Amino acid sequence: MNLKFKNKKISGILSILPEKEIRFEDELDSYNFSRSQSMKLKLIMGYDKRRVVLEGTTPSDLCVFGLNYLFDNGHLAKDDIDALVMINQVPDHFMPATTQVIQGKLGLKHDLYCVDIPQACAGYPMGLNQAFMLLEQEEINKVVVLNAELLSLKVSPSDRGSRPLTGDAAAITIVENDPEGGPIYGTVNFDGSRADTLIIPAGGAKIPSNEKTAEMTTDRNGNSRALNHMVMKGDAVFNFVLNEVPEMIETLLTYAGSTKEEVDYFMCHQPNRFVLKKLADKLKVPYEKMPYNIVELFGNSCSPTLAVNLTHNLSEKLVNDSLLVCLAGFGAGLSWTSLLMKMGNLDFCETINYN
Amino acid sequence: MENFETSISEILEVDSVELTDELESFDAWDSLTILSIIALCDDEYGVTLSADEINDAETINGLKELIKSKI
């Protein structure tokens, strides 16, 4: 589905990364593979460093930390927030919504629109879409989009396919009306028939957590995990990304009447180095225009990763210049989403550590 | 498909392969190798393969026939 918005802008982006860093080489013994196999994987996939929270930390903790940073530095005033949008798959609690946990912790006004959207790696454009729609309301002038995922808590320590690339992060994106804002084009696609491609089987109503769902079993590739853990069909995800994402971006550009050459940067969700390089090759986009360095530096944190990609790689340019940027997310659902928009002259575009 | 054996040898980190070689007999055979084969087939032949299909192909010849059947 194609989407179009006008007179909207992003005015600031903040990424929040836990201070604790884990190196792939330090945890090779957790996996059932030879050292040489793992080192090859490091080279090709970009497994290296990743950031994770200490146990007991919640998505709302990272968001509150980041929002307080914005309040303290004069980037945001509490009373100016008219809506909180949260993109998150593993919340603080099943009940109530995490946006309201945050509202309560910060003492935000009651006259606030709170909405939580359970989306994973395709979630960053989804949060922006929701903000653009909310800004059509007369009483909503400033939307705070939150992306927060602590997926390290849901990935098995003995799953070499997922564990070494999983990181934790949160991001805060401020979205406002802009009378001068040009058109913003978007696409969203969903395919629930492939829901089991990326799934946490237990913990919900279908399979409540119990002693059995915590039992570890080993698959044919030598990875061990329990039903409480996230399971990813790596080959199906790879084929999904290479088949659907180039087509989505071509559709978006056609809809917007733009060309690849006009786009300054293709900022994608960051699953791993291998798939991103293949994606750039297939789209015939130079690697300089499609960064793929986030997994090796910080890990893949689901929807916040796209914000980390922006704040880590384009911070200076997004504060000082104006760029035509294509955003693309893709992941569990399956969902794949994109936006083409002018971004720039941001009030802030930073990465901070959570401690 | 004339470069197939050469490309597969590179992925399997050997000088050459025989059509009768069993896939699981190679030292380099693991999930990453399978992903590399999926990427090769997408790149070179415009063919989409799954990990299960590749495992079920059993031999180099089986893999070659699998790709041919999808071109």
Side-chain angles (χ1 to χ4, degrees), chain A residues 40 45 220 235 239 282, chain B residues 13 35 38 42 49 51 55:
Chain A
K40 191 171 90 176
M45 290 297 193
R220 76 189 281 184
D235 59 324
N239 282 327
K282 197 151 182 183
Chain B
E13 298 167 359
L35 207 53
I38 293 174
D42 184 74
L49 300 182
N55 275 315

Side-chain angles (χ1 to χ4, degrees), chain A residues 111-138:
Chain A
D111 184 22
L112 179 77
Y113 193 108
C114 289
V115 58
D116 294 58
I117 301 173
Q119 278 289 333
C121 301
Y124 193 74
M126 292 278 295
L128 296 177
N129 291 343
Q130 185 67 36
F132 298 151
M133 290 188 269
L134 285 167
L135 285 164
E136 291 298 308
Q137 292 300 316
E138 282 176 10

Side-chain angles (χ1 to χ4, degrees), chain A residues 44-107:
Chain A
I44 295 174
M45 290 297 193
Y47 291 175
D48 194 3
K49 297 179 280 190
R50 59 198 188 91
R51 300 289 190 91
V52 298
V53 293
L54 303 173
E55 216 177 307
T57 309
T58 67
S60 76
D61 289 338
L62 267 67
C63 293
V64 166
F65 183 87
L67 286 164
N68 277 325
Y69 174 86
L70 295 181
F71 300 149
D72 293 346
N73 287 276
H75 291 311
L76 183 66
K78 258 187 198 182
D79 288 342
D80 288 349
I81 305 173
D82 298 315
L84 285 183
V85 175
M86 169 67 94
I87 304 289
N88 165 266
Q89 291 270 205
V90 182
D92 279 38
H93 308 280
F94 282 144
M95 191 191 285
T98 310
T99 47
Q100 291 185 253
V101 173
I102 292 165
Q103 179 197 22
K105 281 185 178 177
L106 289 171

Side-chain angles (χ1 to χ4, degrees), chain A residues 33 37 40-41 44-45 160 220-221 223 234-235 238-239 242-243 272 274 278 281-282, chain B residues 13 24 27-33 35-36 38-39 42-43 48-52 55:
Chain A
F33 296 92
Q37 269 182 321
K40 191 171 90 176
L41 205 63
I44 295 174
M45 290 297 193
R160 196 195 59 165
R220 76 189 281 184
N221 294 319
N223 294 304
D235 59 324
F238 183 80
N239 282 327
L242 285 202
N243 285 327
N272 61 58
F274 184 67
K278 292 287 170 201
D281 292 344
K282 197 151 182 183
Chain B
E13 298 167 359
E24 288 185 18
D27 287 341
W29 192 255
D30 66 1
S31 59
L32 180 62
T33 301
L35 207 53
S36 301
I38 293 174
D42 184 74
D43 254 10
T48 300
L49 300 182
S50 73
D52 283 345
N55 275 315

